Amino acid sequence: MSTPAPKEFLDYVDAHSDDFVNRLGEAVSIKSVSGDPDRRPNVVEMGDWLEKQLKMYGVETKKVDLNFIVPSDQMLPPIILGKIGNDVSKKTLLVYGHYDVQPANQSDGWDTDPFVLTTMPDDRLVGRGSSDDKGPVLGWINVLEAHYQSNLELPVNLQFCFEGMEESGSTGFNEFLSSEDANNWFQGVSNVCISDNTWLTPRKPAVTYGLRGIIYYAVKVSGPVKDLHSGEFGGMVYEPLGDLIHLLGTLTSGDGTILVPGVNDTVRALADDEKVLYEEMDFTTGDVTDATGDTLVTTDKVQLLMKRMRYPSLSLHGIEGALDSNEPKTVIPHEVTGRFSIRLVPDQNPGDIDQLIQSHLKEEFAKLKTKSVLCITAVGDGFPWLGDITHSSFQAAKRATQDVYGLAPDFTREGGSIPVTLSFADKLGVDVLLLPMGRSDDGAHSTNEKLDKSNFINGTKLLGTYLYELK
Amino acid sequence: MSTPAPKEFLDYVDAHSDDFVNRLGEAVSIKSVSGDPDRRPNVVEMGDWLEKQLKMYGVETKKVDLNFIVPSDQMLPPIILGKIGNDVSKKTLLVYGHYDVQPANQSDGWDTDPFVLTTMPDDRLVGRGSSDDKGPVLGWINVLEAHYQSNLELPVNLQFCFEGMEESGSTGFNEFLSSEDANNWFQGVSNVCISDNTWLTPRKPAVTYGLRGIIYYAVKVSGPVKDLHSGEFGGMVYEPLGDLIHLLGTLTSGDGTILVPGVNDTVRALADDEKVLYEEMDFTTGDVTDATGDTLVTTDKVQLLMKRMRYPSLSLHGIEGALDSNEPKTVIPHEVTGRFSIRLVPDQNPGDIDQLIQSHLKEEFAKLKTKSVLCITAVGDGFPWLGDITHSSFQAAKRATQDVYGLAPDFTREGGSIPVTLSFADKLGVDVLLLPMGRSDDGAHSTNEKLDKSNFINGTKLLGTYLYELK
């Protein structure tokens, strides 16, 4: 049953859209680049600014100093926590966002100063962090302001968790989530909403219910004591780079099919009602060919989307320790490391897949009968995540999208990972929902990052409406 | 019939061995590093020094200014030419050497100042250029001095060609050799002797009669418009690095056997009397395991030597354009270039082998049915070279070795290439002989480069004696 947001809320948002844009501009002007140690004070400044906004609209806040949790030689910006409402008869929604941004220099190819939010004639709001993730974070502040100023009661209890190190590996975040403090603070949370990804296309809103997992490998093959001259030694020795090439060649076929025995067997079968989701998605190959050119393995929309979202993939990233320049050096590298990763999907788990991959690599390496030595390291991994779109939180997001945009959203999965999603799902054991604000062409980590003004304003309405549909 | 050098020559060399070492020290102290543009004036200084030495012992000299032949933005040191004797009843031997050296800094790991020739307690003369190639060049100066001071007539006419850019790709050298000036200067040359390689081992003198050729390849595979994120695009696109890995994997088997159809068929069959040469060589696997460790494809001495000297080999050198660091980045590189080279032997020629390799690569690439695009470039090539050891020049070198060292030399081939050898063989159409002075462990391009004093002194005797045996 649909319970749209009250007209006062929606009217307030429309009436204050320019103020909201100005506030986003204020946020963008704070250069909170977590990846640059010299900018850490700006990240801290951004956290302070954000805490002030929360307090202004009645939110109780708390700063978590990560420097006490994970001692580091570099200052860590705090996690900003917030709480408003403690009505036990209401649901309690935890909102996650991050207030740090990717690096940006105008000289990288920006048309405007990346830290001056610029409204373009087509209403694009251009600036670093506009879409990732200051826009969505400020969407929540807009919702708070609209309710506060209109004397509207929030339909759910709200909690906030705003991180300042997301773009730099979320240092300390999992340690914090595992702490007693977090456990106490997050008591009573019934749902989590993260707005930190985008629609599948520039055209149609989306609700995201899945992420692929990953295992990242470093495969080292060692041979001679030192690099050798191929004139002197070519033909006399087993060459590690040749061994590695042969080994990596056994992982996939030409079209990318994973050849490691057992890996494809662990993929959950396609359900009848699942395929409909892909068919309904607003997507054409033209949405990606700017990046891919004519290199797609299929032009079938459904097949293509499933390959990104619900099937595993294995990509080679590179080789370290070999000649990597265009000099015609005749070296036989003595030790080389291949890097590849496999994206995991339900019902795969990193432990089992790692066993299959390691066994396969060892078996294939033995077949080479080389004297080189193999060392396989799983550098990192993460589980895939899949929400249940029949659950109330997803259905509420669907209704909210219909309320605001007049159409049902695409239910999408991301091919990559947003680790914090899994952290919340694991630690809190509640439904997590990804509710994107921006479009697929926002260019989150790129030059000329933008958020369309309509996405900022309608996105604010969407986040607010979601609270009513969820309640 | 043996015609050893006169006793006066040999006695002079013995009596002046310390002076010869001092002169080598003087040469080593001139930092003639051609690879460092800032050191070019030192290379020129070294050329002047060398010309002065030649003149001192009656040699007519000429400086060839390469800057007129191959205009460059960097000063090119001259080629120093020399001529002594014009008796038409005598043979005319052209001696090649180079007076530039590899870079060297004590901080690279030298135990002593690389530009101060240091005599170690075990009589190693340590310094940059001691073995490559100032020692051999000064060996010839010693021969000249001994004859000049002892009033001995040289048994052959001598010509000299000393280059100052050998360690930097011999810029301008082939252009000079093709010039009218060179044609005039080298009139009447009947033999060429190059002393710019080493014995096969530290123990036994060698005469070198063969070099492998080479074709160096850059194989570019291009796909997407830009690098892609493997989370977003993994599974959707043909990946150039996967294609390249598969392609390179078809070139050799695990033990290095070349799999390109036709390539092995073009190798000249092993002659019965040829195998004996390998059997007689003073070599054990222990001579290379400092560098190779336990990675040799066979422990059979003859097989191993033939793999280096008389069979082709194919080595992968590296991949450019892919991730080459240890960062766990999940990139799908959009364009990658594999580099490999094949060493050629008689009767292979670069043109035919290139056709076989290009056809093979294209055929295998087609089998991948990828949408990536392949571009194969043969970056450079060189023919293999094989002298005839039954010819008088080689037999003279054998007798000279027996005269000086009391034993027959190993007749060796080098696995690499010394391009100037072929240049002379091609342009002058006469027998070229490689007569090494140093030992296999001299470390020509490495730290602590050395020439054993006994090799310098006996090597001087060998070069001089060769003239008598050749006459």
Side-chain angles (χ1 to χ4, degrees):
Chain A
M1 197 194 67
S2 182
T3 53
K7 192 168 177 303
E8 298 95 302
F9 165 68
L10 301 171
D11 287 348
Y12 186 94
V13 173
D14 282 329
H16 293 80
S17 62
D18 288 340
D19 301 335
F20 291 168
V21 170
N22 289 340
R23 177 161 54 200
L24 180 56
E26 221 178 294
V28 166
S29 73
I30 302 172
K31 302 174 179 177
S32 54
V33 178
S34 61
D36 179 352
D38 293 342
R39 290 262 175 248
R40 289 285 167 81
N42 301 83
V43 187
V44 172
E45 180 193 347
M46 180 67 204
D48 289 343
W49 183 93
L50 192 58
E51 188 186 25
K52 216 182 79 193
Q53 298 290 327
L54 290 168
K55 279 184 169 163
M56 207 183 302
Y57 303 118
V59 178
E60 171 197 351
T61 64
K62 183 178 171 178
K63 261 189 202 152
V64 179
D65 188 342
L66 291 174
N67 297 292
F68 286 110
I69 299 179
V70 278
S72 150
D73 50 357
Q74 285 176 352
M75 176 175 61
L76 293 175
I79 292 171
I80 309 291
L81 297 177
K83 239 180 211 183
I84 181 168
N86 59 357
D87 184 338
V88 290
S89 70
K90 290 179 179 174
K91 287 184 175 164
T92 298
L93 176 69
L94 169 62
V95 164
Y96 166 90
H98 64 91
Y99 61 85
D100 62 325
V101 297
Q102 282 276 316
N105 296 293
Q106 194 161 351
S107 60
D108 296 340
W110 286 74
D111 296 328
T112 56
D113 183 336
F115 294 104
V116 175
L117 190 74
T118 309
T119 305
M120 295 300 184
D122 58 2
D123 271 353
R124 278 179 301 132
L125 309 172
V126 175
R128 175 55 88 218
S130 55
S131 177
D132 180 20
D133 189 37
K134 289 179 175 176
V137 165
L138 266 66
W140 290 110
I141 305 290
N142 298 343
V143 169
L144 287 172
E145 177 189 323
H147 283 80
Y148 184 88
Q149 300 292 7
S150 313
N151 279 314
L152 282 168
E153 189 189 330
L154 285 161
V156 297
N157 304 317
L158 275 177
Q159 290 207 7
F160 299 95
C161 175
F162 293 137
E163 189 192 359
M165 283 295 287
E166 200 271 347
E167 300 292 4
S168 299
S170 287
T171 314
F173 193 77
N174 276 330
E175 288 83 350
F176 160 67
L177 269 195
S178 302
S179 70
E180 189 65 25
D181 266 8
N183 198 38
N184 291 336
W185 184 271
F186 294 132
Q187 281 293 344
V189 167
S190 58
N191 293 79
V192 175
C193 180
I194 300 174
S195 187
D196 188 25
N197 67 319
T198 67
W199 301 351
L200 176 61
T201 67
R203 299 175 299 274
K204 190 176 167 192
V207 173
T208 302
Y209 70 104
L211 298 167
R212 291 199 285 191
I214 192 170
I215 317 177
Y216 197 99
Y217 285 96
V219 178
K220 186 167 78 178
V221 180
S222 315
V225 177
K226 51 187 178 183
D227 285 0
L228 303 177
H229 187 284
S230 70
E232 208 175 336
F233 290 102
M236 292 174 86
V237 295
Y238 290 98
E239 302 191 6
L241 184 53
D243 294 331
L244 180 63
I245 295 275
H246 284 119
L247 194 60
L248 297 178
T250 67
L251 292 168
T252 55
S253 67
D255 66 353
T257 305
I258 297 173
L259 300 178
V260 180
V263 165
N264 296 315
D265 307 339
T266 51
V267 177
R268 190 182 296 180
L270 185 69
D272 290 342
D273 57 347
E274 188 190 343
K275 200 173 177 198
V276 176
L277 295 175
Y278 298 101
E279 287 163 354
E280 284 178 353
M281 286 182 199
D282 174 37
F283 178 84
T284 75
T285 55
D287 286 316
V288 291
T289 46
D290 269 6
T292 64
D294 178 26
T295 63
L296 296 172
V297 294
T298 171
T299 54
D300 182 280
K301 169 183 132 178
V302 170
Q303 288 302 318
L304 207 54
L305 288 172
M306 290 199 299
K307 276 175 186 293
R308 171 190 285 188
M309 298 181 181
R310 65 113 50 227
Y311 287 110
S313 66
L314 192 153
S315 296
L316 307 180
H317 306 306
I319 289 172
E320 187 198 347
L323 181 70
D324 56 21
S325 74
N326 64 0
E327 287 175 88
K329 276 197 191 163
T330 53
V331 67
I332 299 174
H334 78 291
E335 179 173 291
V336 289
T337 302
R339 293 179 191 277
F340 72 90
S341 64
I342 180 168
R343 299 281 171 176
L344 307 180
V345 298
D347 297 308
Q348 299 178 323
N349 70 69
D352 292 346
I353 300 299
D354 181 45
Q355 279 199 354
L356 292 173
I357 288 179
Q358 298 233 13
S359 301
H360 170 77
L361 288 174
K362 285 170 191 165
E363 217 165 272
E364 291 296 328
F365 196 73
K367 285 186 197 164
L368 294 174
K369 300 194 192 307
T370 175
K371 287 186 180 167
S372 303
V373 175
L374 175 68
C375 173
I376 309 166
T377 310
V379 180
D381 63 41
F383 277 77
W385 167 76
L386 197 64
D388 184 337
I389 61 173
T390 66
H391 278 198
S392 58
S393 58
F394 288 96
Q395 291 301 313
K398 180 182 178 183
R399 288 194 304 275
T401 306
Q402 285 170 318
D403 295 342
V404 173
Y405 285 99
L407 82 175
D410 285 335
F411 277 104
T412 64
R413 304 196 205 175
E414 292 279 343
S417 52
I418 306 177
V420 72
T421 310
L422 265 161
S423 301
F424 280 118
D426 277 0
K427 303 283 179 192
L428 304 182
V430 298
D431 264 356
V432 177
L433 168 86
L434 303 187
L435 190 56
M437 173 181 275
R439 303 181 186 184
S440 64
D441 61 355
D442 283 356
H445 289 196
S446 186
T447 53
N448 299 320
E449 177 182 349
K450 60 90 178 169
L451 178 68
D452 293 86
K453 186 177 174 186
S454 64
N455 280 56
F456 186 47
I457 301 306
N458 286 327
T460 294
K461 291 179 185 175
L462 176 69
L463 298 178
T465 302
Y466 175 61
L467 306 183
Y468 289 91
E469 292 290 359
L470 179 68
K471 80 166 179 220
Chain B
M1 197 194 69
S2 183
T3 51
K7 191 168 179 301
E8 298 96 304
F9 165 67
L10 301 172
D11 287 348
Y12 186 94
V13 173
D14 281 331
H16 294 80
S17 63
D18 287 343
D19 301 335
F20 291 168
V21 170
N22 288 340
R23 177 161 54 199
L24 180 57
E26 221 179 291
V28 166
S29 74
I30 303 173
K31 302 175 180 177
S32 55
V33 179
S34 61
D36 178 354
D38 294 343
R39 290 262 176 249
R40 288 287 166 80
N42 301 84
V43 186
V44 172
E45 180 193 347
M46 180 68 206
D48 290 342
W49 183 92
L50 192 57
E51 188 186 23
K52 216 182 77 195
Q53 298 291 327
L54 290 168
K55 279 185 169 162
M56 206 182 301
Y57 303 118
V59 178
E60 172 197 351
T61 63
K62 182 177 173 182
K63 260 187 201 156
V64 178
D65 188 342
L66 291 174
N67 296 292
F68 286 109
I69 300 179
V70 279
S72 148
D73 51 355
Q74 284 177 355
M75 176 175 60
L76 293 175
I79 291 172
I80 308 292
L81 298 176
K83 237 180 211 183
I84 182 166
N86 59 354
D87 184 336
V88 290
S89 70
K90 289 180 179 172
K91 286 187 175 163
T92 299
L93 176 70
L94 170 60
V95 164
Y96 166 89
H98 64 91
Y99 62 84
D100 62 324
V101 296
Q102 282 278 316
N105 296 294
Q106 194 161 352
S107 59
D108 296 340
W110 286 73
D111 295 330
T112 55
D113 183 337
F115 294 104
V116 174
L117 188 73
T118 309
T119 305
M120 295 299 184
D122 57 1
D123 270 351
R124 277 181 301 132
L125 308 173
V126 175
R128 174 55 88 219
S130 55
S131 176
D132 180 19
D133 188 33
K134 289 180 175 175
V137 165
L138 266 67
W140 289 109
I141 305 289
N142 299 343
V143 169
L144 288 171
E145 178 189 322
H147 283 78
Y148 185 87
Q149 300 291 7
S150 312
N151 280 314
L152 282 168
E153 189 188 330
L154 285 161
V156 297
N157 304 317
L158 274 178
Q159 290 207 9
F160 299 94
C161 177
F162 293 135
E163 188 191 0
M165 283 295 286
E166 200 271 349
E167 301 292 5
S168 300
S170 287
T171 312
F173 192 77
N174 277 330
E175 289 82 350
F176 160 67
L177 269 195
S178 302
S179 71
E180 189 64 24
D181 267 6
N183 198 40
N184 292 335
W185 184 271
F186 294 131
Q187 282 292 343
V189 166
S190 58
N191 292 79
V192 177
C193 179
I194 300 175
S195 187
D196 189 23
N197 66 319
T198 65
W199 301 350
L200 176 62
T201 66
R203 298 177 298 276
K204 190 175 167 194
V207 173
T208 302
Y209 70 104
L211 299 167
R212 291 198 288 191
I214 190 171
I215 316 177
Y216 196 100
Y217 285 97
V219 178
K220 186 166 78 178
V221 180
S222 315
V225 176
K226 52 186 177 183
D227 286 359
L228 303 177
H229 187 283
S230 70
E232 209 174 335
F233 290 100
M236 292 174 87
V237 295
Y238 291 97
E239 302 191 5
L241 183 53
D243 294 331
L244 180 63
I245 294 275
H246 284 119
L247 195 59
L248 297 178
T250 68
L251 292 168
T252 55
S253 66
D255 65 354
T257 305
I258 297 173
L259 301 177
V260 180
V263 165
N264 296 316
D265 307 339
T266 52
V267 176
R268 189 180 297 179
L270 185 69
D272 288 343
D273 57 346
E274 188 190 343
K275 202 173 174 195
V276 176
L277 296 175
Y278 299 102
E279 287 163 356
E280 284 177 352
M281 287 183 198
D282 173 37
F283 178 85
T284 74
T285 55
D287 286 317
V288 290
T289 46
D290 268 7
T292 65
D294 178 27
T295 64
L296 297 172
V297 293
T298 171
T299 53
D300 181 281
K301 170 183 130 177
V302 170
Q303 288 302 319
L304 206 54
L305 288 171
M306 291 200 299
K307 276 176 185 293
R308 172 191 285 188
M309 298 182 181
R310 67 115 44 229
Y311 287 111
S313 65
L314 194 154
S315 297
L316 306 180
H317 306 305
I319 289 172
E320 186 198 346
L323 181 69
D324 56 21
S325 73
N326 64 1
E327 287 176 88
K329 275 197 189 164
T330 53
V331 66
I332 298 174
H334 78 292
E335 180 174 291
V336 288
T337 301
R339 295 179 189 276
F340 72 91
S341 65
I342 180 168
R343 300 281 171 175
L344 307 181
V345 297
D347 300 311
Q348 299 178 324
N349 70 70
D352 293 347
I353 300 298
D354 182 43
Q355 279 199 356
L356 292 173
I357 288 180
Q358 297 231 12
S359 301
H360 170 79
L361 288 175
K362 286 169 189 164
E363 217 165 273
E364 291 294 330
F365 196 73
K367 286 186 196 165
L368 294 175
K369 298 191 192 311
T370 175
K371 287 186 178 167
S372 302
V373 175
L374 175 67
C375 174
I376 309 167
T377 310
V379 179
D381 62 41
F383 278 77
W385 167 75
L386 196 64
D388 185 338
I389 61 173
T390 65
H391 277 200
S392 58
S393 58
F394 287 96
Q395 291 302 313
K398 180 181 176 182
R399 287 195 304 274
T401 306
Q402 285 168 320
D403 295 342
V404 173
Y405 286 100
L407 81 174
D410 285 335
F411 276 104
T412 65
R413 304 196 205 176
E414 290 279 344
S417 52
I418 306 178
V420 75
T421 311
L422 265 159
S423 301
F424 280 118
D426 278 1
K427 303 284 178 195
L428 304 182
V430 299
D431 264 356
V432 178
L433 167 85
L434 304 187
L435 189 55
M437 173 180 274
R439 305 182 186 183
S440 63
D441 61 354
D442 282 357
H445 289 197
S446 185
T447 52
N448 299 320
E449 178 182 349
K450 60 90 177 169
L451 178 67
D452 294 85
K453 186 177 175 189
S454 64
N455 281 57
F456 187 44
I457 300 308
N458 286 327
T460 294
K461 292 180 184 173
L462 176 70
L463 298 178
T465 302
Y466 174 62
L467 305 183
Y468 289 90
E469 293 289 358
L470 180 68
K471 77 162 183 231

